[in-house]
Amino acid sequence: MSVNAKTVRTACRPGRSATALALSVALGLMPKLALSVDLSPVPNIPDVLDDPLNTRPPVLTQGAVLPGDRQSIVCPVEKDFATPLLLDDAVDLALCNHPQAQAAWAELKIQAANLGVAKAGYWPTVNAAVNHLNSYYQYPDSSIPSSETDGFTLYGNLSWRLFDFGGRAANLAAANWLLTQALANQDAVFQRILDGVIQAYFDAQTANAQRQAKTDSEALAGQTLTSARRREAGGVSGRSDTLQAETALAKAALGRSRADGDYRKALAVLRQAMGIAPETLLNLPDNVDTAVAGETLAQDGRDLQTWLAEAQRRHPAIVAAQAQWEAAKERIVQARAEGLPTLDFSLNAYQNGYPNQALSQNQTRVETIGINLTIPLFEGFVRTYKIRGAQAQAEQRAAELADTERQTLLDVVKAHAEAEAALRNLSYSATWLDSAQAAVDSSRRRYDKGAADILELLNTQTALADARQERLRTLADWRAARLRLFTSSGLLGRDLIEQAEGRYGNGRPAISAKQ
């Protein structure tokens, strides 16, 4: 039977030290305190550690600027809905309120933080620890009396990676590319939001104009019924003319009622696209039929190939996919470098003992300085498969880039064809509307003089209603198609929207995304 010459027992004994009790209570409360303490920066007090490595892009403080715009995006947007809702108002509200826009801002902040983590790899790390210990020494089978020591151990460490085979550099390059991807993805999200709110706005405005056209048709049918009743009372026409006029009025009233329902549905979609409350009352301006609206595309001077080239060079979705591919290639370099040797500098200081050991009975102080060379020899083939996985991810990102380019250019081709068709349709619809209006005026005069019957008048009124509806549709199609061509090319900004609406330099406030 062997007996140890000395047994050392180290314990923090409750009740033995008030400091130890306080530390125990603090450690027990720390999780609860972490949930209740607000760690956000205090307003109006600069936080020097908010971004010490300068990784936050200016867009997070200055606001995003859409292509071709002079000003950035500032949220929130104040809008008096008692006044007519302009298209650029709807765009501002959507860019500030849409959940996808808010998610894009959050993703940008995440990637900026990841860039800070990558930059921090070039800085030294410093750690310190303070332990309060109560050590009780007992010597069995010995005349030496037991003893007790109460005190603190201090530990400090500084470590600094001096050299690796490009792992940190690859990680930093990948983080930079992913931040570029987040910036481009934010622009792509804004373009999608613009596309959606523009379509919803023009759909609502077209529905409003069609409702007004149906109301005008109902009023015209009412006038025809009044004329038919007057002619019947005067014995000029029979009861059948009055019945047919009443039928036409009922049909026009039904069409107006359906147009009211379509308009309310279009407003609901517009509210959803803008991210505002469903019960918000909206007031849309009249659909102005400008004779020069269709000249812009022809005067632009860009053919389809130019649009495609600009989209391939500047479209944010393509830029984001390109950045993701570049980041994936850097991950391959990082995966390889992690399996290569590293060289680190270390500085350690110990007082009254070492971490996780008993308190020294005498005052001690130990300092070490070292250069550490770490050479990975065997990791169970983990490194091989990490490299293969990184290579496969790069191949996947390359395929996604090709697919994004293909889909984007296809959207440009379709948008360009739609814009050209809408431009041609404008002149045809204008000719149709003028002819239909002249036909109605002629038939009304002939009917009032008894030279035409009720069927001729009703037919011309129906043709006029159709012509008005098509004119409104082609005008809305042109305006939406023109702006959609810019969104599909990644070139649409709020300034261009203002120009499309005929409001140049109106001094509107800028958009900042201070979420």
Side-chain angles (χ1 to χ4, degrees):
M1 181 179 181
S2 61
V3 179
N4 293 332
K6 179 175 68 174
T7 301
V8 180
R9 184 179 68 193
T10 302
C12 293
R13 302 169 63 179
R16 189 63 62 90
S17 170
T19 305
L21 178 60
L23 287 173
S24 300
V25 173
L27 291 174
L29 292 178
M30 190 173 296
K32 298 178 181 179
L33 291 174
L35 294 176
S36 61
V37 176
D38 184 8
L39 299 180
S40 59
V42 179
N44 302 323
I45 298 180
D47 187 356
V48 296
L49 297 181
D50 183 53
D51 186 22
L53 299 182
N54 193 26
T55 63
R56 290 171 61 89
V59 66
L60 288 178
T61 54
Q62 300 175 8
V65 179
L66 296 175
D69 284 356
R70 301 177 301 273
Q71 296 175 326
S72 56
I73 305 181
V74 181
C75 298
V77 175
E78 298 295 335
K79 169 60 181 172
D80 181 10
F81 289 100
T83 61
L85 178 70
L86 304 179
L87 178 56
D88 42 10
D89 292 329
V91 166
D92 289 352
L93 289 167
L95 290 177
C96 289
N97 298 333
H98 203 287
Q100 292 182 5
Q102 296 172 357
W105 284 111
E107 175 65 20
L108 189 57
K109 296 175 184 177
I110 291 172
Q111 295 304 331
N114 290 339
L115 177 59
V117 173
K119 283 188 174 183
Y122 287 90
W123 285 71
T125 59
V126 181
N127 298 289
V130 179
N131 299 306
H132 177 263
L133 299 176
N134 181 272
S135 299
Y136 182 77
Y137 298 88
Q138 185 179 20
Y139 304 91
D141 302 326
S142 173
S143 60
I144 300 176
S146 300
S147 63
E148 185 174 8
T149 303
D150 188 89
F152 291 88
T153 65
L154 304 177
Y155 164 66
N157 165 262
L158 182 147
S159 61
W160 197 349
R161 176 148 296 180
L162 302 178
F163 176 78
D164 58 14
F165 283 85
R168 290 176 299 173
N171 186 40
L172 179 60
N176 272 306
W177 280 115
L178 289 178
L179 181 58
T180 301
Q181 178 268 332
L183 289 166
N185 179 70
Q186 183 187 58
D187 289 341
V189 169
F190 287 165
Q191 294 290 306
R192 289 198 297 269
I193 294 174
L194 286 174
D195 193 15
V197 74
I198 286 171
Q199 187 64 55
Y201 184 86
F202 284 135
D203 286 346
Q205 198 173 44
T206 301
N208 185 30
Q210 289 180 345
R211 181 187 63 160
Q212 184 60 48
K214 294 294 185 181
T215 302
D216 293 342
S217 297
E218 183 181 12
L220 185 59
Q223 295 173 5
T224 302
L225 177 59
T226 301
S227 297
R229 287 173 175 172
R230 184 174 62 251
R231 288 168 57 87
E232 180 185 4
V236 179
S237 63
R239 178 63 178 165
S240 61
D241 284 6
T242 303
L243 293 175
Q244 292 183 67
E246 291 176 350
T247 302
L249 177 60
K251 181 179 179 181
L254 177 60
R256 189 261 309 154
S257 177
R258 287 175 175 172
D260 286 340
D262 293 339
Y263 178 56
R264 288 193 295 270
K265 288 189 293 184
L267 287 180
V269 174
L270 179 58
R271 293 188 192 97
Q272 190 275 337
M274 293 190 297
I276 61 177
E279 67 275 10
T280 304
L281 297 178
L282 297 181
N283 179 23
L284 296 183
D286 294 334
N287 193 354
V288 180
D289 187 353
T290 55
V292 297
E295 298 178 4
T296 308
L297 186 65
Q299 294 175 353
D300 188 87
R302 282 181 281 191
D303 58 8
L304 177 59
Q305 294 303 320
T306 304
W307 285 103
L308 292 174
E310 290 189 0
Q312 193 166 21
R313 179 173 56 91
R314 299 177 53 182
H315 198 285
I318 296 178
V319 174
Q322 177 76 29
Q324 282 191 325
W325 181 43
E326 296 293 343
K329 290 191 292 184
E330 294 294 341
R331 295 300 185 196
I332 300 175
V333 178
Q334 181 186 4
R336 286 198 180 103
E338 288 175 351
L340 298 175
T342 57
L343 187 65
D344 298 278
F345 169 79
S346 64
L347 174 64
N348 300 280
Y350 308 91
Q351 184 172 329
N352 301 332
Y354 297 94
N356 302 319
Q357 293 188 11
L359 182 68
S360 173
Q361 297 187 28
N362 301 314
Q363 292 285 338
T364 63
R365 179 174 295 173
V366 178
E367 296 177 353
T368 66
I369 299 177
I371 299 293
N372 305 318
L373 176 64
T374 304
I375 304 176
L377 298 178
F378 182 68
E379 299 175 297
F381 304 107
V382 171
R383 186 62 42 207
T384 299
Y385 292 105
K386 284 188 176 181
I387 294 173
R388 297 295 176 267
Q391 290 172 337
Q393 282 192 340
E395 294 175 3
Q396 184 182 41
R397 297 306 183 199
E400 291 175 355
L401 172 59
D403 183 65
T404 300
E405 289 181 343
R406 180 193 61 82
Q407 186 60 50
T408 300
L409 298 183
L410 176 61
D411 292 341
V412 172
V413 173
K414 292 168 59 178
H416 190 270
E418 290 175 356
E420 285 189 329
L423 181 59
R424 291 192 301 268
N425 293 340
L426 279 178
S427 60
Y428 299 146
S429 63
T431 302
W432 183 8
L433 180 59
D434 292 341
S435 301
Q437 184 64 58
V440 168
D441 294 340
S442 175
S443 295
R444 177 170 295 280
R445 289 192 298 269
R446 286 162 51 80
Y447 181 73
D448 291 339
K449 294 178 181 180
D453 58 13
I454 189 68
L455 291 179
E456 177 183 337
L457 180 58
L458 294 178
N459 288 335
T460 57
Q461 289 178 356
T462 301
L464 177 61
D466 293 341
R468 284 175 175 171
Q469 184 170 349
E470 286 304 317
R471 178 58 181 175
L472 294 171
R473 180 181 292 112
T474 55
L475 181 61
D477 287 347
W478 154 247
R479 297 167 71 187
R482 175 176 176 267
L483 293 178
R484 194 180 303 115
L485 177 58
F486 282 92
T487 58
S488 61
S489 302
L491 306 176
L492 183 60
R494 290 179 304 133
D495 288 351
L496 182 62
I497 293 174
E498 292 180 5
Q499 295 175 16
E501 292 295 284
R503 298 184 306 279
Y504 298 88
N506 58 1
R508 293 179 51 77
I511 269 196
S512 170
K514 298 178 181 176
Q515 304 289 341

